[in-house]
């Protein structure tokens, strides 16, 4: 049962860290100190359930946008995957049927609306002072803190029962500086964009396009650009040639748990800068903004094959082709995404003729399949590619990227697994074994395979040697039992066992198995010991804590809703 029995033991033995003592007067004082921007948490779908708070008009809006990522990411009380709004261990939830949000069985008696894991209160953060006040409140009352922006969170690190959330979503400032120099630095000026914590990728991409520059970012337009995505590493289809998100950060503005606002860059607070460049969000402080390197606008070549009626035999052929060509394609600058029945690749390194030659094996493969769609196209900018790619991705998947609960596991696959014919066959066999456990296998060809970095990031060193970031997923709906949720997590764990057996212990901290064994090594490699020292230096009271984060306290009651 994963950890349900463990937490019951901790409660019984008095080891759980439950010490919240906030009184109504404390909340009133906090509200005054943040200029009235303290709000009570209310479950996202509360209006659909009976009792106080029921509202047919509001419910209709929730139902219409239940699987809409933009809608969910704009709410302080919603998460892209609603298991993190619920309490998985107890079943307390306020959840609709993601396949049919109008299904009354989900919100009619005996179903009830409960708080689950959402914060009891949240602050709409507008300033560094708001964050400092929140740290003092947590220190005084013992109320757990979480940092929430968009709710893109596969691990549940931005929600916790009984918590106070710092909602950074409205920090939307964004500027362009062609002559950016980090504070206190004598370095040569670089072209940069400075973005507040609430800036999401589509806003960033549009802004960059207006200024004729390229910014390295994620594949979902609603993900935050400088929050957990970049602090965990941040991978992109451009990472092979242009680096991870952390490789391109020039400076952070962050409030640390002592209430101080600090500038962290290569010369000011360099140790904190290093920790924030891969050590994970929600751990060392609350990032208010970051300045990131941008590059001149690039012309991109894209190759795509979509196979609507893919079967096991075709999947085996596709996997073999991808693995056999992976190293050459990495050298040619290709990055991309491979899911069930679709493969997208993009490169800024080749012209149209060279790209077509490089991708000829994939193009020929798709052309010989009766129902496959093949596309080779040039795009004048990242935004032009991204806009079409995201629309096609939704069309091929048939599913919005929000509204459903999901278990995930992952592995980083290094170059060593592609070297010889035997190595490649072993890898294909392991991938097919994973596919046989759950066919929701995704290859993110997003590793910085051709980008060495500056040696000053805290992500696992394994990223630099990797070619693929492979993930497995299993989904569940509102009426899943405790056993079914547990089985989902155990299934994704089994799916990657064949890959664990042939690869180093390495996974991406933001898209991993919730129950990743030996996560300290898997996420941070040899960097963990130093990260832990910095955690104790900047947050000695552990006011910030999150699941499988650096220095986490597993006995804390904030984790009581995990399985």
């Amino acid at each position: 049962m994963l950890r349900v029995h463990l937490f019951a033991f901790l409660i019984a033995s008095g080891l759980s860290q439950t010490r919240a003592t906030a009184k109504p007067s404390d909340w009133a004082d906090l509200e005054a100190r943040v200029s009235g921007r303290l709000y009570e948490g209310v479950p996202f779908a509360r209006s659909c359930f009976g009792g106080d708070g029921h509202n047919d008009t509001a419910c209709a809006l929730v139902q219409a946008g239940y699987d809409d990522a933009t809608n969910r990411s704009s709410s302080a009380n919603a998460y892209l995957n609603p298991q993190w709004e619920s309490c998985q261990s107890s079943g307390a939830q306020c959840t609709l049927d993601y396949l049919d949000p109008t299904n009354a069985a989900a919100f009619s008696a005996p179903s009830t609306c409960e708080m689950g894991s959402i914060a009891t209160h949240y602050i709409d953060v507008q300033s560094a002072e708001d964050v400092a006040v929140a740290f003092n409140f947590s220190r005084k009352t013992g109320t757990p803190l979480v940092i929430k922006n968009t709710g893109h969170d596969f691990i549940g690190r931005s929600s916790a029962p009984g918590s106070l959330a710092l909602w950074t979503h409205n920090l939307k400032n964004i500027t362009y500086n062609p002559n950016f120099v980090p504070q206190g630095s004598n370095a040569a000026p670089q072209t940069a964009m400075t973005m507040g914590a609430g800036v999401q990728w589509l806003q960033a991409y549009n802004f960059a396009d207006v200024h004729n520059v390229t910014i390295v970012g994620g594949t979902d337009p609603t993900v935050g650009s400088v929050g957990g995505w970049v602090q965990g590493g941040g991978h992109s289809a451009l990472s092979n040639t242009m680096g991870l998100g952390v490789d391109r950060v020039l400076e952070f503005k962050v409030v640390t748990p002592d209430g101080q606002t600090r500038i962290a860059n290569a010369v000011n607070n360099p140790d904190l800068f290093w920790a924030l460049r891969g050590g994970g969000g929600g751990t060392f402080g609350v990032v208010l903004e970051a300045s990131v390197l941008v590059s001149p606008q690039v012309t991109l070549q894209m190759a795509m094959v979509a196979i609507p009626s893919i079967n096991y035999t075709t999947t085996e052929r596709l996997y073999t082709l991808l693995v056999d060509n992976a190293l050459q394609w990495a050298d040619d600058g290709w990055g991309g995404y491979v899911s069930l029945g679709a493969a997208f690749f993009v490169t800024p390194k080749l012209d149209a003729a060279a790209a077509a030659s490089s991708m000829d094996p994939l193009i020929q493969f798709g052309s010989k399949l009766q129902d496959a769609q093949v596309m080779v196209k040039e795009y004048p900018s990242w935004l032009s590619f991204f806009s079409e790619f995201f629309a096609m991705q939704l069309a091929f998947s048939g599913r919005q990227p929000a509204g459903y609960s999901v278990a995930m596991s992952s592995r980083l696959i290094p170059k060593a697994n592609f070297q010889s014919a035997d190595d490649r066959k072993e890898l294909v066999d392991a991938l097919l074994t994973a596919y046989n456990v759950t066919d929701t296998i995704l290859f993110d060809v997003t590793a910085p395979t051709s980008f060495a970095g500056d040696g000053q990031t805290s992500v696992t060193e394994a990223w630099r040697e990797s070619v693929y970031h492979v993930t497995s997923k299993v989904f569940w709906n509102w009426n899943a039992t405790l056993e079914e949720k547990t089985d989902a997590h155990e299934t994704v764990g089994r799916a990657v066992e064949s890959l664990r057996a042939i690869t180093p212990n390495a996974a991406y901290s933001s898209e991993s198995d919730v129950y990743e064994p030996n996560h300290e090594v898997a996420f941070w490699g040899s960097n963990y010991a130093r990260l832990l020292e910095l955690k104790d230096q900047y947050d000695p009271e552990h006011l910030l804590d999150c699941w499988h984060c650096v220095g986490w306290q597993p006995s804390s009651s904030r984790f009581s809703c995990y399985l």
Side-chain angles (χ1 to χ4, degrees):
M1 291 288 290
L2 299 176
R3 70 185 300 275
V4 174
H5 297 317
L6 169 62
F7 193 79
F9 166 76
L10 293 169
I11 293 289
S13 61
L15 296 177
S16 175
Q17 297 175 1
T18 305
R19 57 185 182 88
T21 58
K23 302 183 292 292
S25 58
D26 295 319
W27 292 110
D29 179 64
L30 177 62
E31 182 178 18
R33 290 178 180 274
V34 296
S35 303
R37 284 176 283 99
L38 175 71
Y39 304 94
E40 290 189 2
V42 178
F44 180 61
R46 176 67 191 89
S47 58
C48 294
F49 288 75
D52 294 341
H54 176 77
N55 184 300
D56 287 336
T57 302
C59 176
L61 293 174
V62 169
Q63 291 170 332
Y66 196 72
D67 65 351
D68 184 88
T70 300
N71 188 34
R72 283 184 165 272
S73 67
S74 300
S75 169
N77 299 305
Y79 292 78
L80 272 287
N81 305 115
Q83 75 235 50
W84 305 118
E85 300 166 20
S86 73
C87 186
Q88 295 176 76
S89 60
S90 71
Q93 63 182 32
C94 191
T95 307
L96 304 185
D97 179 348
Y98 82 84
L99 296 174
D100 178 11
T102 65
N103 177 8
F107 53 85
S108 301
S111 296
T112 59
C113 179
E114 300 179 71
M115 289 290 286
S117 286
I118 70 167
T120 58
H121 296 79
Y122 67 92
I123 297 171
D124 180 2
V125 174
Q126 298 292 323
S127 68
E129 179 61 23
D130 292 342
V131 178
V133 166
F135 278 129
N136 284 333
F137 178 84
S138 178
R139 184 178 290 108
K140 173 184 175 183
T141 67
T143 303
L145 292 176
V146 294
I147 305 168
K148 182 182 186 294
N149 180 11
T150 65
H152 281 271
D153 183 355
F154 287 113
I155 314 297
R157 292 168 177 151
S158 57
S159 70
S163 62
L164 169 64
L166 298 176
W167 191 42
T168 61
H169 185 66
N170 289 320
L171 297 174
K172 297 287 191 184
N173 55 294
I174 183 168
T175 58
Y176 169 75
N177 187 342
N179 296 292
F180 180 84
V181 178
Q183 190 175 115
S185 173
N186 295 320
Q190 294 177 283
T191 306
M193 283 169 49
T194 298
M195 299 176 288
V199 172
Q200 294 164 274
W201 278 123
L202 186 57
Q203 179 188 1
Y205 293 154
N206 280 311
F207 186 86
D209 200 67
V210 168
H211 293 278
N212 296 311
V213 293
T214 302
I215 186 169
V216 173
T219 57
D220 190 309
T222 64
V223 168
S225 57
V226 300
W229 180 87
V230 75
Q231 292 169 59
H235 62 91
S236 166
L238 296 177
S239 289
N240 178 25
T241 53
M242 301 176 76
L244 295 169
V246 286
D247 291 319
R248 302 179 68 84
V249 179
L250 303 174
E251 185 170 278
F252 289 102
K253 180 180 180 181
V254 57
V255 182
T256 45
D258 59 1
Q260 297 298 306
T261 302
R262 302 176 190 271
I263 299 298
N265 56 40
V267 294
N268 282 313
N269 300 302
D271 54 352
L272 181 59
F273 184 54
W274 177 83
L276 291 170
R277 294 178 82 195
T283 302
F284 301 97
V286 179
V287 169
L288 301 180
E289 65 179 36
S291 298
V292 303
L293 178 69
V294 294
S295 299
Q297 202 163 76
V298 293
T299 299
L300 298 170
Q301 309 297 329
M302 188 269 281
M304 180 274 290
V305 171
I307 312 166
S309 56
I310 194 166
N311 54 32
Y312 180 89
T313 300
T314 307
T315 298
E316 182 177 17
R317 291 174 57 206
L318 176 62
Y319 283 7
T320 300
L321 183 149
L322 296 172
V323 169
D324 283 347
N325 288 278
L327 293 182
Q328 181 59 57
W329 286 346
D331 287 345
D332 290 344
W334 295 99
Y337 305 92
V338 180
S339 58
L340 182 64
F344 295 85
F345 287 90
V346 61
T347 180
K349 190 174 178 179
L350 304 179
D351 62 22
S357 175
S358 174
M359 274 288 152
D360 187 64
L362 182 64
I363 295 166
Q364 292 300 320
F365 171 80
S367 299
K368 294 174 183 177
L369 297 175
Q370 185 173 7
D371 62 345
Q373 179 182 351
V374 179
M375 181 184 294
V376 179
K377 188 173 180 178
E378 182 174 279
Y379 294 88
S381 68
W382 169 258
L383 178 64
S384 60
F385 161 75
F386 178 80
S387 300
E388 191 164 311
F389 159 76
F390 189 71
M392 289 191 293
Q393 186 182 46
L394 288 181
F396 293 139
S397 69
R399 174 186 287 129
Q400 292 286 334
Y404 51 81
S405 295
V406 59
M408 172 184 279
S409 61
S410 70
R411 270 0 271 156
L412 293 177
I413 312 298
K415 298 174 187 176
N417 290 98
F418 300 84
Q419 294 298 327
S420 69
D422 287 344
D423 294 331
R424 294 191 293 273
K425 183 180 186 306
E426 181 182 55
L427 176 56
V428 170
D429 289 345
L431 289 166
L432 289 169
T433 299
Y435 171 87
N436 282 329
V437 176
T438 169
D439 61 9
T440 50
I441 302 296
L442 175 68
F443 303 2
D444 287 344
V445 190
T446 54
T449 313
S450 306
F451 192 93
D454 62 3
Q456 298 301 312
T457 63
S458 49
V459 294
T460 174
E461 307 92 331
W463 264 118
R464 308 293 170 190
E465 290 299 315
S466 295
V467 180
Y468 292 162
H469 161 50
V470 175
T471 63
S472 169
K473 295 179 181 178
V474 171
F475 308 96
W476 70 86
N477 210 339
W478 68 277
N479 55 351
T481 64
L482 179 65
E483 290 73 21
E484 288 169 336
K485 298 172 193 175
T486 300
D487 182 67
H489 286 287
E490 292 176 347
T491 297
V492 295
R494 288 198 307 275
V496 299
E497 280 304 316
S498 58
L499 295 171
R500 288 184 196 277
I502 64 170
T503 60
N505 185 11
Y508 179 38
S509 63
S510 297
E511 297 172 358
S512 66
D513 191 335
V514 171
Y515 305 99
E516 180 69 34
N518 196 16
H519 70 277
E520 298 92 342
V521 173
F523 298 163
W524 297 291
S526 65
N527 294 321
Y528 185 77
R530 184 182 174 199
L531 284 167
L532 185 58
E533 291 177 359
L534 293 171
K535 172 66 174 177
D536 291 337
Q537 175 183 334
Y538 283 100
D539 187 16
E541 299 168 279
H542 285 240
L543 296 179
L544 294 174
D545 198 3
C546 50
W547 184 269
H548 279 190
C549 294
V550 173
W552 78 307
Q553 306 292 304
S555 62
S556 172
S557 61
R558 67 166 61 226
F559 303 126
S560 60
C561 285
Y562 285 81
L563 296 176

